[in-house]
PDB file of all heavy atoms in Angstrom:
ATOM      1  N   MET D 488     -13.604  52.204 103.796  1.00 60.00           N
ATOM      2  CA  MET D 488     -14.298  51.062 104.593  1.00 60.00           C
ATOM      3  C   MET D 488     -13.559  49.885 104.291  1.00 60.00           C
ATOM      4  O   MET D 488     -13.338  49.500 103.169  1.00 60.00           O
ATOM      5  CB  MET D 488     -15.829  51.063 104.323  1.00 60.00           C
ATOM      6  CG  MET D 488     -16.332  49.983 105.303  1.00 60.00           C
ATOM      7  SD  MET D 488     -18.079  49.730 104.942  1.00 60.00           S
ATOM      8  CE  MET D 488     -18.815  50.899 105.920  1.00 60.00           C
ATOM      9  N   ASN D 489     -13.218  49.081 105.460  1.00 70.00           N
ATOM     10  CA  ASN D 489     -12.497  47.747 105.129  1.00 70.00           C
ATOM     11  C   ASN D 489     -13.690  46.751 105.268  1.00 70.00           C
ATOM     12  O   ASN D 489     -14.199  46.385 106.464  1.00 70.00           O
ATOM     13  CB  ASN D 489     -11.502  47.589 106.386  1.00 70.00           C
ATOM     14  CG  ASN D 489     -10.672  46.398 106.203  1.00 70.00           C
ATOM     15  OD1 ASN D 489     -11.038  45.601 105.275  1.00 70.00           O
ATOM     16  ND2 ASN D 489      -9.724  46.327 107.082  1.00 70.00           N
ATOM     17  N   ASN D 490     -13.890  46.002 104.197  1.00 77.00           N
ATOM     18  CA  ASN D 490     -14.862  45.008 104.188  1.00 77.00           C
ATOM     19  C   ASN D 490     -14.322  43.618 104.212  1.00 77.00           C
ATOM     20  O   ASN D 490     -14.940  42.599 103.850  1.00 77.00           O
ATOM     21  CB  ASN D 490     -15.793  45.107 102.937  1.00 77.00           C
ATOM     22  CG  ASN D 490     -16.590  46.319 102.996  1.00 77.00           C
ATOM     23  OD1 ASN D 490     -17.120  46.810 103.988  1.00 77.00           O
ATOM     24  ND2 ASN D 490     -16.764  46.945 101.759  1.00 77.00           N
ATOM     25  N   ARG D 491     -13.122  43.365 104.694  1.00 84.00           N
ATOM     26  CA  ARG D 491     -12.370  42.192 104.750  1.00 84.00           C
ATOM     27  C   ARG D 491     -12.971  41.307 105.824  1.00 84.00           C
ATOM     28  O   ARG D 491     -13.150  41.829 106.891  1.00 84.00           O
ATOM     29  CB  ARG D 491     -10.844  42.477 105.059  1.00 84.00           C
ATOM     30  CG  ARG D 491     -10.017  41.307 105.078  1.00 84.00           C
ATOM     31  CD  ARG D 491      -8.533  41.814 105.158  1.00 84.00           C
ATOM     32  NE  ARG D 491      -8.404  42.358 106.492  1.00 84.00           N
ATOM     33  CZ  ARG D 491      -7.478  42.208 107.350  1.00 84.00           C
ATOM     34  NH1 ARG D 491      -6.553  41.375 107.003  1.00 84.00           N
ATOM     35  NH2 ARG D 491      -7.397  42.841 108.436  1.00 84.00           N
ATOM     36  N   ILE D 492     -13.128  40.099 105.586  1.00 84.00           N
ATOM     37  CA  ILE D 492     -13.651  39.087 106.476  1.00 84.00           C
ATOM     38  C   ILE D 492     -12.412  38.442 107.141  1.00 84.00           C
ATOM     39  O   ILE D 492     -11.669  37.839 106.334  1.00 84.00           O
ATOM     40  CB  ILE D 492     -14.618  38.156 105.949  1.00 84.00           C
ATOM     41  CG1 ILE D 492     -15.847  38.846 105.493  1.00 84.00           C
ATOM     42  CG2 ILE D 492     -14.931  37.037 106.882  1.00 84.00           C
ATOM     43  CD1 ILE D 492     -16.949  37.995 104.956  1.00 84.00           C
ATOM     44  N   VAL D 493     -12.354  38.280 108.394  1.00 85.00           N
ATOM     45  CA  VAL D 493     -11.166  37.502 109.030  1.00 85.00           C
ATOM     46  C   VAL D 493     -11.711  36.286 109.579  1.00 85.00           C
ATOM     47  O   VAL D 493     -12.662  36.378 110.442  1.00 85.00           O
ATOM     48  CB  VAL D 493     -10.477  38.453 110.122  1.00 85.00           C
ATOM     49  CG1 VAL D 493      -9.401  37.704 110.869  1.00 85.00           C
ATOM     50  CG2 VAL D 493      -9.889  39.785 109.400  1.00 85.00           C
ATOM     51  N   ILE D 494     -11.219  35.267 109.222  1.00 86.00           N
ATOM     52  CA  ILE D 494     -11.687  33.821 109.758  1.00 86.00           C
ATOM     53  C   ILE D 494     -10.838  33.531 111.027  1.00 86.00           C
ATOM     54  O   ILE D 494      -9.510  33.531 110.989  1.00 86.00           O
ATOM     55  CB  ILE D 494     -11.497  32.739 108.694  1.00 86.00           C
ATOM     56  CG1 ILE D 494     -12.434  33.168 107.532  1.00 86.00           C
ATOM     57  CG2 ILE D 494     -11.971  31.321 109.342  1.00 86.00           C
ATOM     58  CD1 ILE D 494     -12.259  32.273 106.377  1.00 86.00           C
ATOM     59  N   GLU D 495     -11.389  33.209 112.090  1.00 86.00           N
ATOM     60  CA  GLU D 495     -10.763  32.912 113.313  1.00 86.00           C
ATOM     61  C   GLU D 495     -11.366  31.471 113.788  1.00 86.00           C
ATOM     62  O   GLU D 495     -12.409  31.207 113.702  1.00 86.00           O
ATOM     63  CB  GLU D 495     -11.032  33.881 114.487  1.00 86.00           C
ATOM     64  CG  GLU D 495     -10.266  33.587 115.654  1.00 86.00           C
ATOM     65  CD  GLU D 495     -10.425  34.759 116.757  1.00 86.00           C
ATOM     66  OE1 GLU D 495     -11.037  35.935 116.360  1.00 86.00           O
ATOM     67  OE2 GLU D 495      -9.993  34.606 117.937  1.00 86.00           O
ATOM     68  N   VAL D 496     -10.313  30.670 114.179  1.00 87.00           N
ATOM     69  CA  VAL D 496     -10.654  29.198 114.545  1.00 87.00           C
ATOM     70  C   VAL D 496     -10.076  28.814 115.849  1.00 87.00           C
ATOM     71  O   VAL D 496      -8.935  29.335 116.217  1.00 87.00           O
ATOM     72  CB  VAL D 496     -10.045  28.283 113.296  1.00 87.00           C
ATOM     73  CG1 VAL D 496     -10.199  26.913 113.796  1.00 87.00           C
ATOM     74  CG2 VAL D 496     -10.543  28.686 111.980  1.00 87.00           C
ATOM     75  N   CYS D 497     -10.798  28.044 116.572  1.00 86.00           N
ATOM     76  CA  CYS D 497     -10.218  27.454 117.773  1.00 86.00           C
ATOM     77  C   CYS D 497     -10.034  26.125 117.449  1.00 86.00           C
ATOM     78  O   CYS D 497     -10.743  25.283 117.263  1.00 86.00           O
ATOM     79  CB  CYS D 497     -11.388  27.628 118.889  1.00 86.00           C
ATOM     80  SG  CYS D 497     -10.652  26.940 120.401  1.00 86.00           S
ATOM     81  N   ALA D 498      -8.699  25.719 117.418  1.00 89.00           N
ATOM     82  CA  ALA D 498      -8.245  24.325 117.175  1.00 89.00           C
ATOM     83  C   ALA D 498      -7.940  23.520 118.328  1.00 89.00           C
ATOM     84  O   ALA D 498      -7.503  24.007 119.343  1.00 89.00           O
ATOM     85  CB  ALA D 498      -7.064  24.439 116.207  1.00 89.00           C
ATOM     86  N   THR D 499      -8.102  22.371 118.232  1.00 88.00           N
ATOM     87  CA  THR D 499      -7.909  21.413 119.282  1.00 88.00           C
ATOM     88  C   THR D 499      -6.686  20.506 119.135  1.00 88.00           C
ATOM     89  O   THR D 499      -6.308  19.733 120.023  1.00 88.00           O
ATOM     90  CB  THR D 499      -9.123  20.457 119.568  1.00 88.00           C
ATOM     91  OG1 THR D 499      -9.345  19.722 118.436  1.00 88.00           O
ATOM     92  CG2 THR D 499     -10.264  21.264 119.963  1.00 88.00           C
ATOM     93  N   SER D 500      -5.980  20.549 118.089  1.00 89.00           N
ATOM     94  CA  SER D 500      -4.665  19.745 117.782  1.00 89.00           C
ATOM     95  C   SER D 500      -3.863  20.529 116.716  1.00 89.00           C
ATOM     96  O   SER D 500      -4.386  21.526 116.113  1.00 89.00           O
ATOM     97  CB  SER D 500      -5.191  18.418 117.232  1.00 89.00           C
ATOM     98  OG  SER D 500      -5.691  18.513 115.937  1.00 89.00           O
ATOM     99  N   LEU D 501      -2.672  20.089 116.560  1.00 90.00           N
ATOM    100  CA  LEU D 501      -1.829  20.621 115.495  1.00 90.00           C
ATOM    101  C   LEU D 501      -2.429  20.340 114.097  1.00 90.00           C
ATOM    102  O   LEU D 501      -2.319  21.333 113.275  1.00 90.00           O
ATOM    103  CB  LEU D 501      -0.457  20.145 115.783  1.00 90.00           C
ATOM    104  CG  LEU D 501       0.522  20.562 114.623  1.00 90.00           C
ATOM    105  CD1 LEU D 501       0.685  22.145 114.726  1.00 90.00           C
ATOM    106  CD2 LEU D 501       1.911  19.900 114.888  1.00 90.00           C
ATOM    107  N   ASP D 502      -2.889  19.211 114.083  1.00 93.00           N
ATOM    108  CA  ASP D 502      -3.510  18.863 112.687  1.00 93.00           C
ATOM    109  C   ASP D 502      -4.693  19.837 112.319  1.00 93.00           C
ATOM    110  O   ASP D 502      -4.748  20.224 111.164  1.00 93.00           O
ATOM    111  CB  ASP D 502      -3.899  17.408 112.637  1.00 93.00           C
ATOM    112  CG  ASP D 502      -2.755  16.432 112.636  1.00 93.00           C
ATOM    113  OD1 ASP D 502      -1.659  16.814 112.181  1.00 93.00           O
ATOM    114  OD2 ASP D 502      -2.950  15.276 112.972  1.00 93.00           O
ATOM    115  N   SER D 503      -5.522  19.984 113.274  1.00 92.00           N
ATOM    116  CA  SER D 503      -6.674  20.838 112.997  1.00 92.00           C
ATOM    117  C   SER D 503      -6.185  22.332 112.862  1.00 92.00           C
ATOM    118  O   SER D 503      -6.788  23.112 112.108  1.00 92.00           O
ATOM    119  CB  SER D 503      -7.729  20.762 114.105  1.00 92.00           C
ATOM    120  OG  SER D 503      -7.276  21.217 115.353  1.00 92.00           O
ATOM    121  N   ALA D 504      -5.070  22.867 113.380  1.00 92.00           N
ATOM    122  CA  ALA D 504      -4.555  24.071 113.250  1.00 92.00           C
ATOM    123  C   ALA D 504      -4.106  24.345 111.978  1.00 92.00           C
ATOM    124  O   ALA D 504      -4.272  25.311 111.182  1.00 92.00           O
ATOM    125  CB  ALA D 504      -3.507  24.449 114.291  1.00 92.00           C
ATOM    126  N   ILE D 505      -3.276  23.276 111.543  1.00 94.00           N
ATOM    127  CA  ILE D 505      -2.794  23.208 110.060  1.00 94.00           C
ATOM    128  C   ILE D 505      -3.929  23.298 108.989  1.00 94.00           C
ATOM    129  O   ILE D 505      -3.829  24.017 107.966  1.00 94.00           O
ATOM    130  CB  ILE D 505      -1.784  22.071 109.860  1.00 94.00           C
ATOM    131  CG1 ILE D 505      -0.593  22.253 110.681  1.00 94.00           C
ATOM    132  CG2 ILE D 505      -1.453  21.831 108.405  1.00 94.00           C
ATOM    133  CD1 ILE D 505       0.410  21.061 110.841  1.00 94.00           C
ATOM    134  N   ALA D 506      -4.988  22.508 109.237  1.00 94.00           N
ATOM    135  CA  ALA D 506      -6.145  22.467 108.450  1.00 94.00           C
ATOM    136  C   ALA D 506      -6.787  23.853 108.252  1.00 94.00           C
ATOM    137  O   ALA D 506      -7.179  24.151 107.253  1.00 94.00           O
ATOM    138  CB  ALA D 506      -7.055  21.321 108.809  1.00 94.00           C
ATOM    139  N   ALA D 507      -6.847  24.445 109.528  1.00 92.00           N
ATOM    140  CA  ALA D 507      -7.612  25.707 109.469  1.00 92.00           C
ATOM    141  C   ALA D 507      -6.758  26.771 108.756  1.00 92.00           C
ATOM    142  O   ALA D 507      -7.288  27.432 107.870  1.00 92.00           O
ATOM    143  CB  ALA D 507      -7.633  26.137 111.022  1.00 92.00           C
ATOM    144  N   GLU D 508      -5.396  26.778 108.900  1.00 92.00           N
ATOM    145  CA  GLU D 508      -4.588  27.818 108.155  1.00 92.00           C
ATOM    146  C   GLU D 508      -4.648  27.493 106.584  1.00 92.00           C
ATOM    147  O   GLU D 508      -4.746  28.307 105.856  1.00 92.00           O
ATOM    148  CB  GLU D 508      -3.201  27.556 108.556  1.00 92.00           C
ATOM    149  CG  GLU D 508      -2.250  28.645 108.116  1.00 92.00           C
ATOM    150  CD  GLU D 508      -1.470  28.222 106.946  1.00 92.00           C
ATOM    151  OE1 GLU D 508      -1.206  27.010 106.740  1.00 92.00           O
ATOM    152  OE2 GLU D 508      -0.841  29.114 106.297  1.00 92.00           O
ATOM    153  N   GLN D 509      -4.691  26.069 106.173  1.00 95.00           N
ATOM    154  CA  GLN D 509      -4.805  25.791 104.784  1.00 95.00           C
ATOM    155  C   GLN D 509      -6.184  26.096 104.287  1.00 95.00           C
ATOM    156  O   GLN D 509      -6.214  26.480 103.114  1.00 95.00           O
ATOM    157  CB  GLN D 509      -4.535  24.269 104.684  1.00 95.00           C
ATOM    158  CG  GLN D 509      -3.059  23.907 104.831  1.00 95.00           C
ATOM    159  CD  GLN D 509      -2.817  22.344 104.792  1.00 95.00           C
ATOM    160  OE1 GLN D 509      -3.773  21.609 105.024  1.00 95.00           O
ATOM    161  NE2 GLN D 509      -1.679  22.057 104.733  1.00 95.00           N
ATOM    162  N   GLY D 510      -7.197  26.242 105.198  1.00 92.00           N
ATOM    163  CA  GLY D 510      -8.525  26.560 104.700  1.00 92.00           C
ATOM    164  C   GLY D 510      -8.771  28.081 104.703  1.00 92.00           C
ATOM    165  O   GLY D 510      -9.849  28.532 104.458  1.00 92.00           O
ATOM    166  N   GLY D 511      -7.768  28.849 105.218  1.00 89.00           N
ATOM    167  CA  GLY D 511      -7.937  30.357 105.072  1.00 89.00           C
ATOM    168  C   GLY D 511      -8.045  31.072 106.380  1.00 89.00           C
ATOM    169  O   GLY D 511      -8.108  32.220 106.397  1.00 89.00           O
ATOM    170  N   ALA D 512      -7.870  30.397 107.523  1.00 90.00           N
ATOM    171  CA  ALA D 512      -7.974  31.068 108.933  1.00 90.00           C
ATOM    172  C   ALA D 512      -6.781  32.009 108.959  1.00 90.00           C
ATOM    173  O   ALA D 512      -5.682  31.617 108.672  1.00 90.00           O
ATOM    174  CB  ALA D 512      -8.077  30.082 109.936  1.00 90.00           C
ATOM    175  N   LYS D 513      -7.079  33.176 109.455  1.00 89.00           N
ATOM    176  CA  LYS D 513      -6.030  34.127 109.706  1.00 89.00           C
ATOM    177  C   LYS D 513      -5.719  34.338 111.121  1.00 89.00           C
ATOM    178  O   LYS D 513      -4.529  34.636 111.523  1.00 89.00           O
ATOM    179  CB  LYS D 513      -6.516  35.591 109.262  1.00 89.00           C
ATOM    180  CG  LYS D 513      -6.786  35.590 107.724  1.00 89.00           C
ATOM    181  CD  LYS D 513      -5.625  35.223 106.917  1.00 89.00           C
ATOM    182  CE  LYS D 513      -5.859  35.473 105.393  1.00 89.00           C
ATOM    183  NZ  LYS D 513      -4.901  34.680 104.636  1.00 89.00           N
ATOM    184  N   ARG D 514      -6.474  33.879 112.032  1.00 91.00           N
ATOM    185  CA  ARG D 514      -6.201  33.634 113.465  1.00 91.00           C
ATOM    186  C   ARG D 514      -6.588  32.264 113.912  1.00 91.00           C
ATOM    187  O   ARG D 514      -7.609  31.887 113.691  1.00 91.00           O
ATOM    188  CB  ARG D 514      -7.107  34.727 114.168  1.00 91.00           C
ATOM    189  CG  ARG D 514      -6.823  36.110 113.825  1.00 91.00           C
ATOM    190  CD  ARG D 514      -7.714  37.139 114.599  1.00 91.00           C
ATOM    191  NE  ARG D 514      -7.433  38.404 114.138  1.00 91.00           N
ATOM    192  CZ  ARG D 514      -8.253  39.490 114.404  1.00 91.00           C
ATOM    193  NH1 ARG D 514      -9.249  39.298 115.156  1.00 91.00           N
ATOM    194  NH2 ARG D 514      -7.980  40.588 113.954  1.00 91.00           N
ATOM    195  N   ILE D 515      -5.707  31.717 114.674  1.00 92.00           N
ATOM    196  CA  ILE D 515      -5.872  30.391 115.137  1.00 92.00           C
ATOM    197  C   ILE D 515      -5.531  30.307 116.657  1.00 92.00           C
ATOM    198  O   ILE D 515      -4.414  30.644 116.944  1.00 92.00           O
ATOM    199  CB  ILE D 515      -4.997  29.316 114.298  1.00 92.00           C
ATOM    200  CG1 ILE D 515      -5.420  29.408 112.894  1.00 92.00           C
ATOM    201  CG2 ILE D 515      -5.253  27.890 114.913  1.00 92.00           C
ATOM    202  CD1 ILE D 515      -4.450  28.602 112.039  1.00 92.00           C
ATOM    203  N   GLU D 516      -6.364  29.804 117.457  1.00 89.00           N
ATOM    204  CA  GLU D 516      -6.180  29.665 118.949  1.00 89.00           C
ATOM    205  C   GLU D 516      -6.169  28.205 119.138  1.00 89.00           C
ATOM    206  O   GLU D 516      -7.023  27.371 118.771  1.00 89.00           O
ATOM    207  CB  GLU D 516      -7.193  30.253 119.729  1.00 89.00           C
ATOM    208  CG  GLU D 516      -7.026  30.056 121.225  1.00 89.00           C
ATOM    209  CD  GLU D 516      -8.168  30.859 122.029  1.00 89.00           C
ATOM    210  OE1 GLU D 516      -8.972  31.616 121.458  1.00 89.00           O
ATOM    211  OE2 GLU D 516      -8.226  30.611 123.229  1.00 89.00           O
ATOM    212  N   LEU D 517      -4.968  27.674 119.840  1.00 85.00           N
ATOM    213  CA  LEU D 517      -4.771  26.352 119.982  1.00 85.00           C
ATOM    214  C   LEU D 517      -5.334  26.082 121.453  1.00 85.00           C
ATOM    215  O   LEU D 517      -4.782  26.619 122.445  1.00 85.00           O
ATOM    216  CB  LEU D 517      -3.421  25.825 119.885  1.00 85.00           C
ATOM    217  CG  LEU D 517      -3.149  24.383 120.094  1.00 85.00           C
ATOM    218  CD1 LEU D 517      -3.975  23.564 119.073  1.00 85.00           C
ATOM    219  CD2 LEU D 517      -1.543  24.009 120.002  1.00 85.00           C
ATOM    220  N   CYS D 518      -6.535  25.272 121.688  1.00 83.00           N
ATOM    221  CA  CYS D 518      -7.118  25.024 122.939  1.00 83.00           C
ATOM    222  C   CYS D 518      -6.868  23.660 123.334  1.00 83.00           C
ATOM    223  O   CYS D 518      -6.986  22.670 122.532  1.00 83.00           O
ATOM    224  CB  CYS D 518      -8.623  25.225 122.687  1.00 83.00           C
ATOM    225  SG  CYS D 518      -9.132  26.880 122.274  1.00 83.00           S
ATOM    226  N   ASP D 519      -6.370  23.448 124.609  1.00 80.00           N
ATOM    227  CA  ASP D 519      -6.018  22.219 125.096  1.00 80.00           C
ATOM    228  C   ASP D 519      -7.150  21.602 125.847  1.00 80.00           C
ATOM    229  O   ASP D 519      -7.079  20.397 126.012  1.00 80.00           O
ATOM    230  CB  ASP D 519      -4.712  22.275 125.917  1.00 80.00           C
ATOM    231  CG  ASP D 519      -5.014  23.045 127.287  1.00 80.00           C
ATOM    232  OD1 ASP D 519      -5.957  23.836 127.394  1.00 80.00           O
ATOM    233  OD2 ASP D 519      -4.310  22.956 128.278  1.00 80.00           O
ATOM    234  N   ASN D 520      -8.200  22.278 126.089  1.00 76.00           N
ATOM    235  CA  ASN D 520      -9.366  21.739 126.861  1.00 76.00           C
ATOM    236  C   ASN D 520     -10.587  22.337 126.327  1.00 76.00           C
ATOM    237  O   ASN D 520     -11.398  23.020 127.031  1.00 76.00           O
ATOM    238  CB  ASN D 520      -9.214  21.885 128.389  1.00 76.00           C
ATOM    239  CG  ASN D 520     -10.139  20.976 129.181  1.00 76.00           C
ATOM    240  OD1 ASN D 520     -10.957  20.304 128.618  1.00 76.00           O
ATOM    241  ND2 ASN D 520     -10.036  20.975 130.509  1.00 76.00           N
ATOM    242  N   PHE D 521     -10.833  21.950 124.926  1.00 69.00           N
ATOM    243  CA  PHE D 521     -11.961  22.645 124.270  1.00 69.00           C
ATOM    244  C   PHE D 521     -13.289  22.230 124.935  1.00 69.00           C
ATOM    245  O   PHE D 521     -14.241  23.074 125.050  1.00 69.00           O
ATOM    246  CB  PHE D 521     -12.055  22.219 122.814  1.00 69.00           C
ATOM    247  CG  PHE D 521     -12.993  22.882 121.970  1.00 69.00           C
ATOM    248  CD1 PHE D 521     -12.836  24.239 121.641  1.00 69.00           C
ATOM    249  CD2 PHE D 521     -14.228  22.322 121.630  1.00 69.00           C
ATOM    250  CE1 PHE D 521     -13.685  24.908 120.906  1.00 69.00           C
ATOM    251  CE2 PHE D 521     -15.116  22.894 120.877  1.00 69.00           C
ATOM    252  CZ  PHE D 521     -14.950  24.192 120.443  1.00 69.00           C
ATOM    253  N   ILE D 522     -13.552  21.148 125.482  1.00 72.00           N
ATOM    254  CA  ILE D 522     -14.824  20.663 126.034  1.00 72.00           C
ATOM    255  C   ILE D 522     -15.129  21.631 127.194  1.00 72.00           C
ATOM    256  O   ILE D 522     -16.235  22.080 127.344  1.00 72.00           O
ATOM    257  CB  ILE D 522     -14.790  19.265 126.613  1.00 72.00           C
ATOM    258  CG1 ILE D 522     -14.518  18.229 125.321  1.00 72.00           C
ATOM    259  CG2 ILE D 522     -16.006  18.803 127.172  1.00 72.00           C
ATOM    260  CD1 ILE D 522     -15.499  18.378 124.253  1.00 72.00           C
ATOM    261  N   GLU D 523     -14.224  21.855 128.146  1.00 70.00           N
ATOM    262  CA  GLU D 523     -14.380  22.799 129.318  1.00 70.00           C
ATOM    263  C   GLU D 523     -14.714  24.173 128.787  1.00 70.00           C
ATOM    264  O   GLU D 523     -15.580  24.809 129.288  1.00 70.00           O
ATOM    265  CB  GLU D 523     -13.237  22.745 130.163  1.00 70.00           C
ATOM    266  CG  GLU D 523     -13.177  21.496 130.965  1.00 70.00           C
ATOM    267  CD  GLU D 523     -14.372  21.037 131.867  1.00 70.00           C
ATOM    268  OE1 GLU D 523     -14.971  22.067 132.573  1.00 70.00           O
ATOM    269  OE2 GLU D 523     -14.859  19.877 131.858  1.00 70.00           O
ATOM    270  N   LEU D 524     -13.978  24.539 127.705  1.00 61.00           N
ATOM    271  CA  LEU D 524     -14.238  25.960 127.166  1.00 61.00           C
ATOM    272  C   LEU D 524     -15.715  26.037 126.775  1.00 61.00           C
ATOM    273  O   LEU D 524     -16.262  27.014 126.829  1.00 61.00           O
ATOM    274  CB  LEU D 524     -13.255  26.287 126.120  1.00 61.00           C
ATOM    275  CG  LEU D 524     -13.368  27.536 125.354  1.00 61.00           C
ATOM    276  CD1 LEU D 524     -13.167  28.675 126.415  1.00 61.00           C
ATOM    277  CD2 LEU D 524     -12.363  27.684 124.213  1.00 61.00           C
ATOM    278  N   ALA D 525     -16.121  25.038 125.966  1.00 66.00           N
ATOM    279  CA  ALA D 525     -17.428  25.150 125.414  1.00 66.00           C
ATOM    280  C   ALA D 525     -18.470  24.957 126.434  1.00 66.00           C
ATOM    281  O   ALA D 525     -19.477  25.624 126.278  1.00 66.00           O
ATOM    282  CB  ALA D 525     -17.604  23.789 124.398  1.00 66.00           C
ATOM    283  N   LYS D 526     -18.303  24.391 127.601  1.00 71.00           N
ATOM    284  CA  LYS D 526     -19.298  24.328 128.625  1.00 71.00           C
ATOM    285  C   LYS D 526     -19.481  25.715 129.231  1.00 71.00           C
ATOM    286  O   LYS D 526     -20.480  26.007 129.726  1.00 71.00           O
ATOM    287  CB  LYS D 526     -18.786  23.294 129.666  1.00 71.00           C
ATOM    288  CG  LYS D 526     -18.878  21.884 129.348  1.00 71.00           C
ATOM    289  CD  LYS D 526     -18.470  21.005 130.548  1.00 71.00           C
ATOM    290  CE  LYS D 526     -18.512  19.551 130.083  1.00 71.00           C
ATOM    291  NZ  LYS D 526     -18.002  18.731 131.169  1.00 71.00           N
ATOM    292  N   LYS D 527     -18.440  26.559 129.290  1.00 66.00           N
ATOM    293  CA  LYS D 527     -18.501  27.936 129.936  1.00 66.00           C
ATOM    294  C   LYS D 527     -19.277  28.855 129.110  1.00 66.00           C
ATOM    295  O   LYS D 527     -19.776  29.822 129.616  1.00 66.00           O
ATOM    296  CB  LYS D 527     -17.159  28.384 130.242  1.00 66.00           C
ATOM    297  CG  LYS D 527     -16.349  27.720 131.224  1.00 66.00           C
ATOM    298  CD  LYS D 527     -14.953  28.315 131.496  1.00 66.00           C
ATOM    299  CE  LYS D 527     -14.155  27.462 132.478  1.00 66.00           C
ATOM    300  NZ  LYS D 527     -12.871  27.900 132.721  1.00 66.00           N
ATOM    301  N   ASN D 528     -19.373  28.517 127.751  1.00 61.00           N
ATOM    302  CA  ASN D 528     -19.982  29.496 126.866  1.00 61.00           C
ATOM    303  C   ASN D 528     -21.474  28.807 126.596  1.00 61.00           C
ATOM    304  O   ASN D 528     -22.203  28.980 126.082  1.00 61.00           O
ATOM    305  CB  ASN D 528     -19.246  29.776 125.622  1.00 61.00           C
ATOM    306  CG  ASN D 528     -18.073  30.369 125.882  1.00 61.00           C
ATOM    307  OD1 ASN D 528     -18.001  31.342 126.596  1.00 61.00           O
ATOM    308  ND2 ASN D 528     -16.951  30.013 125.284  1.00 61.00           N
TER     309      ASN D 528
END
């Protein structure tokens, strides 16, 4: 059984993507219009 936790982050800038990677994120999605994405969910 694989009990590995994968951290996925939706970043809104290059700086936040780098910070996410430094914080342990294994998957990073760079979103250019996060506010509109958040409204849909």
